[in-house]
Amino acid sequence: MITYLINFTLCSAMLLLAYRLLLKNKTTYTFNRFYLLASLAFLLATPYIAVERVPQVIPAIQPVTEKLQFLPANSVQTQIPVYANVPVVNAVTHHINYLLYCLIAIYGIVCLLLLYRFARNLIAISLSVWRNTQIDYWGTRLVLVNEKLTPHTFLNYIFLNKDEYTGKQIEDSVLKHELAHASQRHSADVIFIELLQIFCWFNPFIPLYRKAVQLNHEFIADAAVLAGNNSITDYQQLLFSKLSYDKSLTITSQFNYSVTKKRLIMMTKTTSAAAAMLARLATIPVLAIAFILFCTKTEALQTPPATRPAAKDKLIDTAAPASKVRTKIPPRLRFSDYPYTKDGVSEEKLKEYISITAKYEEGADRSIKHPDKITEEDREKMEPIFRQMSASQQDQQTITFYYLPPPPPPSRPTQKQLDKWKDPKYCGVWINEKKTNNADLVNYKPEDFGNVFVSRLTKYAINRKYYPYQVDLMTVDAYKKYRADAIANKHKPKMALRMLNPHYRKI
């Protein structure tokens, strides 16, 4: 909303400046009217128009989604990283933004006051029409009032002093002037700007638009009078004779306006056809620039290319077929972006990999308790085969390889969190990868820890019957060591266990 208000104000300033530089002193009155009204509609709509742009694609950074080396395999199956600056275990505290409510109240009060003034003017005009004599005149209605006011027009009504009209003291030029206001519906323009100012009173340029529109109305009406071969000098003298009259409401089109001097100047001014055409054409790039500057830009959704290890690390066999970026593999099946090939390994190699896996399967469900039980010799056999597999072949393996994700940023629990975690029914606590009694947290302060990791246990976790959350804490020294090791071994293959349906893995 703040962005919209800023764009709305700046756009109105730019379009108004263009009007003053290009059109204000030109006798292209009809086009000037169209430009001013179109500018108001344009600046209202432009900040709402969303233009999609293609962002520059940058390498994706693998988010921290697993922290396997910190959690016992029999306790957690789904890990959700939570850092101290985004507390999860505490209730959300709602803060009331009193400043926002005050600003909304001020905006509403000012809108109501301006709306009241507008309604009062409309009621005053309606009462004047209803109480006074009306006469048909060339498709309009003359309203004869007792007050000695400047002749003025609102919608289809022309207000004149009754004594002057009956005494035939109203000049034909005055009636032609007011008739031009009524026939060209100038009051509709004024009503539109009045309503806009009621709800956009915070924009200091809207009153300037109103003055420009009303002044241009006077130019149009003056041009209509002079088009009937009236003498410019006589008409100017007529304007001077009406200066002493009382003014009418600002919402009406008035014969006597506060800018009479400008009207007198424009009566004697001419604009060549070429200059008028150039002025009109010059508004096109102005509108185009305003649209580009103040429309809402949105980023086109693109799937960023997955990060790849550098070639110098020699993690991809150059003899293997070229690999492609996967975009449709379910993200829950992958620990990290690991090299793979397009065609995959042969059926013989795939059987060899599964046969090694089968050596470590236990129980009726043939599950693997923990990948740490796999010998180094078998690891060295499995990793090259896994690297040469296709994407779908890798995603069907119970034992998978992955790269360590970037280390999480330093985070620190709050004292309120530490107090909450002392409850053994709420969570289990591990400090530096060792199960710790919840009550031992009384010996620690928030600044003793360099990282905190909170995970919610799934319904299949063994410890779920004791507590729903698991909290892993690292002291400052342990976190520094972990971070250094993670950075140093970021391209070293790691082995992990993936829980899959045994019927899913087929040769």
Side-chain angles (χ1 to χ4, degrees):
M1 180 56 69
I2 298 298
T3 302
Y4 172 81
L5 297 180
I6 294 175
N7 288 345
F8 174 71
T9 303
L10 294 179
C11 186
S12 62
M14 179 178 175
L15 297 181
L16 183 61
L17 178 62
Y19 171 78
R20 294 197 169 190
L21 294 177
L22 300 174
L23 302 173
K24 180 181 178 182
N25 296 321
K26 303 292 188 302
T27 58
T28 54
Y29 305 131
T30 302
F31 181 81
N32 292 1
R33 179 189 183 189
F34 168 78
Y35 175 85
L36 289 170
L37 296 178
S39 296
L40 292 172
F42 180 86
L43 65 92
L44 283 173
T46 298
Y48 278 118
I49 299 175
V51 176
E52 189 176 84
R53 61 183 180 183
V54 179
Q56 181 180 3
V57 179
I58 59 176
I61 299 176
Q62 183 68 26
V64 180
T65 57
E66 300 281 346
K67 200 172 181 182
L68 303 176
Q69 67 272 32
F70 269 56
L71 308 174
N74 61 350
S75 61
V76 181
Q77 293 182 11
T78 301
Q79 306 300 331
I80 305 175
V82 179
Y83 305 125
N85 58 340
V86 188
V88 170
V89 296
N90 295 332
V92 178
T93 303
H94 296 281
H95 299 282
I96 299 177
N97 190 344
Y98 292 103
L99 177 60
L100 177 61
Y101 287 110
C102 290
L103 293 176
I104 293 175
I106 293 173
Y107 171 80
I109 291 173
V110 176
C111 287
L112 289 176
L113 292 176
L114 295 177
L115 189 61
Y116 167 76
R117 186 189 69 174
F118 178 71
R120 186 183 62 181
N121 289 339
L122 291 180
I123 293 173
I125 294 173
S126 300
L127 291 176
S128 180
V129 171
W130 179 64
R131 292 173 179 174
N132 295 288
T133 305
Q134 300 181 32
I135 300 175
D136 291 331
Y137 181 80
W138 290 94
T140 64
R141 303 281 291 177
L142 301 181
V143 180
L144 306 181
V145 298
N146 295 322
E147 296 84 359
K148 190 175 182 180
L149 296 175
T150 303
H152 56 276
T153 302
F154 183 75
L155 296 178
N156 203 40
Y157 298 97
I158 299 175
F159 298 84
L160 303 172
N161 178 263
K162 183 177 182 180
D163 295 335
E164 290 183 349
Y165 180 78
T166 55
K168 297 184 178 181
Q169 299 177 9
I170 304 294
E171 296 81 356
D172 289 339
S173 297
V174 173
L175 293 177
K176 288 181 180 179
H177 182 100
E178 298 304 325
L179 187 60
H181 283 311
S183 62
Q184 298 192 35
R185 304 291 188 271
H186 290 171
S187 297
D189 302 352
V190 178
I191 291 174
F192 170 65
I193 299 179
E194 286 285 338
L195 291 174
L196 184 62
Q197 186 173 6
I198 289 173
F199 298 101
C200 301
W201 55 264
F202 53 83
N203 189 332
F205 300 102
I206 299 300
L208 301 180
Y209 272 95
R210 183 184 64 183
K211 291 181 180 179
V213 168
Q214 289 183 310
L215 179 58
N216 190 67
H217 287 168
E218 298 302 321
F219 293 158
I220 293 175
D222 290 339
V225 174
L226 297 176
N229 297 322
N230 292 67
S231 171
I232 295 178
T233 303
D234 293 343
Y235 187 59
Q236 289 176 336
Q237 292 295 329
L238 178 62
L239 291 180
F240 280 118
S241 67
K242 303 295 182 179
L243 289 176
S244 60
Y245 281 49
D246 294 335
K247 297 179 180 180
S248 58
L249 298 173
T250 58
I251 195 175
T252 60
S253 297
Q254 307 175 58
F255 180 49
N256 180 30
Y257 201 63
S258 61
V259 288
T260 303
K261 181 179 179 180
K262 296 180 180 179
R263 294 171 59 188
L264 298 177
I265 294 174
M266 293 302 295
M267 288 179 195
T268 59
K269 196 167 186 178
T270 59
T271 302
S272 65
M277 181 59 66
L278 288 176
R280 295 187 185 100
L281 293 176
T283 60
I284 297 177
V286 172
L287 294 174
I289 294 173
F291 180 81
I292 294 172
L293 291 177
F294 302 110
C295 68
T296 302
K297 285 82 175 178
T298 59
E299 299 289 346
L301 294 179
Q302 288 191 341
T303 304
T307 55
R308 293 288 179 187
K312 62 181 181 180
D313 294 326
K314 299 180 180 180
L315 294 176
I316 301 179
D317 191 345
T318 56
S323 61
K324 295 184 178 180
V325 178
R326 269 174 296 171
T327 58
K328 297 183 179 180
I329 299 301
R332 64 181 180 84
L333 296 179
R334 297 191 60 78
F335 291 102
S336 66
D337 182 48
Y338 204 77
Y340 65 95
T341 62
K342 177 182 178 180
D343 299 328
V345 297
S346 63
E347 182 177 340
E348 182 181 354
K349 285 289 186 180
L350 194 58
K351 287 182 178 180
E352 180 182 352
Y353 189 92
I354 296 176
S355 64
I356 298 175
T357 303
K359 292 165 51 178
Y360 301 95
E361 293 176 347
E362 302 176 2
D365 58 353
R366 303 181 64 188
S367 61
I368 301 174
K369 297 304 180 183
H370 203 278
D372 288 344
K373 295 183 178 181
I374 301 175
T375 64
E376 188 64 29
E377 180 182 359
D378 285 337
R379 286 172 181 255
E380 293 179 358
K381 293 179 181 179
M382 297 173 70
E383 195 279 331
I385 300 175
F386 186 85
R387 191 193 328 153
Q388 300 300 317
M389 290 182 186
S390 65
S392 60
Q393 288 175 338
Q394 287 184 357
D395 291 330
Q396 295 178 24
Q397 304 310 313
T398 306
I399 297 178
T400 184
F401 289 85
Y402 68 100
Y403 293 120
L404 284 176
S411 57
R412 180 177 295 168
T414 63
Q415 186 60 50
K416 189 175 182 180
Q417 286 177 310
L418 291 179
D419 294 339
K420 181 73 174 180
W421 295 338
K422 293 176 184 178
D423 183 3
K425 295 183 179 179
Y426 184 80
C427 65
V429 176
W430 275 257
I431 298 179
N432 296 338
E433 302 186 67
K434 295 181 179 180
K435 182 68 172 72
T436 305
N437 193 315
N438 296 60
D440 292 343
L441 290 176
V442 72
N443 301 321
Y444 293 90
K445 297 178 293 184
E447 53 268 24
D448 294 334
F449 298 104
N451 183 260
V452 56
F453 186 94
V454 179
S455 55
R456 184 181 182 89
L457 304 184
T458 67
K459 61 181 181 179
Y460 302 107
I462 297 175
N463 291 325
R464 184 180 173 88
K465 59 184 178 181
Y466 302 113
Y467 42 77
Y469 292 96
Q470 178 170 315
V471 177
D472 287 84
L473 296 162
M474 275 192 284
T475 59
V476 174
D477 292 338
Y479 172 73
K480 290 180 179 179
K481 183 178 182 303
Y482 159 74
R483 181 178 177 82
D485 291 343
I487 294 175
N489 299 309
K490 62 180 179 179
H491 291 319
K492 184 178 180 181
K494 297 290 183 180
M495 182 178 285
L497 171 66
R498 181 190 291 126
M499 302 301 295
L500 294 175
N501 187 327
H503 299 290
Y504 180 69
R505 188 187 65 187
K506 297 180 180 180
I507 299 177

